[in-house]
């Protein structure tokens, strides 16, 4: 097996083990392969392993990849592209044109623009609302107490479908990871409450290379994995 195929098998196995440990159904956690800064050949190699969901942070780089890989591997089974970077409002048109999902919505204005700028004939964009769960001053995302209002506003927009919540917690290097566990628990609670309220909500985008098992233990339905799949970024 190539390195990438080995990595893919290993990460898939980690997810299966985490699902099992948490008494969750096999396949209940999706893998989003974060391919930012990585070449198109690496995306093709992952796709040949069966991977379909890819995440990108940098718009120009992403649009180039998405355009090049249009129709790959086949028209009927295409790659699914997730935007996971920060969003400036002058970039929403390109995001709406090229992406299937956006994980980093934190303002009504951005959701409104994505909805308005959706190209004719393209299905609504799947969105997750980003929560700043650790309350870091410098981090993107809304505070949990701002969620209800943002949800009400987003639900009025025809060009977006609210699929769930996303978070990037502050790193926790302590051995027991108590703070990270607390953040994941808070997200799990918020997510369950949102699921009660909104029928289209089925996605908790939470967990990366270093903490995916802990995230799955706390209800994540989609882990975003870069380094463990593609190797370290430059
Ligand atoms: C880069 C990135 C990831 C992947 O992180 P790894 O630690 O490389 O797995 C996940 N989510 C977001 C939002 C990212 O920007």
């Amino acid at each position: 097996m190539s390195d990438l195929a080995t990595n893919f098998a290993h990460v898939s196995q980690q997810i299966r083990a985490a699902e099992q440990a948490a008494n969750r159904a096999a396949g209940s956690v999706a893998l989003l392969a974060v391919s930012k800064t990585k070449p198109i050949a690496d995306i093709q190699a992952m796709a040949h392993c069966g991977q379909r969901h890819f995440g990108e942070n940098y718009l120009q780089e992403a649009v180039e990849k998405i355009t090049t890989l249009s129709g790959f591997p086949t028209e009927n089974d295409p790659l699914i592209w997730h935007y996971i970077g920060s969003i400036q409002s002058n970039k929403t048109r390109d995001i709406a044109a090229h992406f299937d999902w956006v994980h980093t919505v934190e303002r009504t204005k951005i959701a409104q623009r994505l909805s308005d700028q959706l190209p004719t004939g393209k299905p609504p964009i799947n969105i997750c609302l980003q929560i700043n769960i650790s309350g870091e001053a410098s981090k993107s995302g809304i505070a949990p107490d701002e969620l209800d209002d943002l949800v009400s506003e987003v639900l009025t927009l025809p060009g977006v479908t609210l699929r769930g919540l996303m978070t990037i917690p502050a790193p926790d290097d302590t051995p027991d990871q108590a703070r990270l566990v607390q953040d994941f628990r808070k997200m799990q609670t918020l997510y369950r409450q949102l699921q009660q309220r909104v029928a289209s909500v089925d996605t908790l985008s939470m967990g990366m290379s270093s903490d995916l098992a802990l995230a799955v233990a706390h209800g994540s339905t989609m882990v975003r994995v870069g380094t463990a799949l593609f190797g370290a970024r430059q």
Side-chain angles (χ1 to χ4, degrees), residues 31-50:
L31 172 60
L32 177 59
V34 177
S35 46
K36 62 182 174 208
T37 79
K38 297 298 176 181
I40 283 174
D42 286 5
I43 297 173
Q44 290 170 317
M46 280 298 164
H48 284 308
C49 296

Side-chain angles (χ1 to χ4, degrees), residues 13-186:
Q13 169 54 32
Q14 267 187 296
I15 293 171
R16 294 296 92 85
E19 286 170 341
Q20 211 163 29
N23 282 318
R24 298 182 52 190
S28 56
V29 179
L31 172 60
L32 177 59
V34 177
S35 46
K36 62 182 174 208
T37 79
K38 297 298 176 181
I40 283 174
D42 286 5
I43 297 173
Q44 290 170 317
M46 280 298 164
H48 284 308
C49 296
Q51 180 63 27
R52 289 295 177 271
H53 293 269
F54 290 89
E56 291 280 342
N57 297 56
Y58 309 113
L59 190 56
Q60 201 181 339
E61 174 194 338
V63 168
E64 212 173 290
K65 289 173 174 173
I66 294 168
T67 308
T68 305
L69 291 168
S70 156
F72 174 86
T74 68
E75 290 291 345
N76 292 330
D77 184 21
L79 304 185
I80 299 153
W81 293 98
H82 298 241
Y83 189 74
I84 61 171
S86 60
I87 309 176
Q88 292 150 304
S89 50
N90 63 345
K91 301 290 168 60
T92 51
R93 189 175 297 280
D94 276 341
I95 294 173
H98 292 98
F99 283 87
D100 306 293
W101 286 70
V102 179
H103 290 227
T104 42
V105 173
E106 54 174 349
R107 284 188 286 152
T108 304
K109 181 185 166 193
I110 295 294
Q112 173 87 58
R113 289 175 66 94
L114 291 170
S115 178
D116 290 348
Q117 295 169 343
L118 185 72
T120 311
K122 190 169 181 274
I125 304 172
N126 300 295
I127 65 168
C128 294
L129 305 177
Q130 184 173 355
I131 309 288
N132 180 1
I133 199 64
S134 310
E136 296 171 283
S138 61
K139 268 282 172 64
S140 303
I142 58 165
D145 65 3
E146 298 173 298
L147 181 58
D148 279 352
D149 286 346
L150 182 55
V151 167
S152 299
E153 290 159 357
V154 157
L155 288 177
T156 66
L157 304 171
V160 299
T161 302
L162 181 59
R163 297 294 295 269
L165 302 177
M166 178 271 205
T167 196
I168 310 172
D172 181 357
D173 297 329
T174 64
D176 67 354
Q177 298 199 294
R179 215 261 312 120
L180 186 60
V181 167
Q182 194 177 51
D183 286 349
F184 281 164
R185 282 210 185 112
K186 284 192 233 165

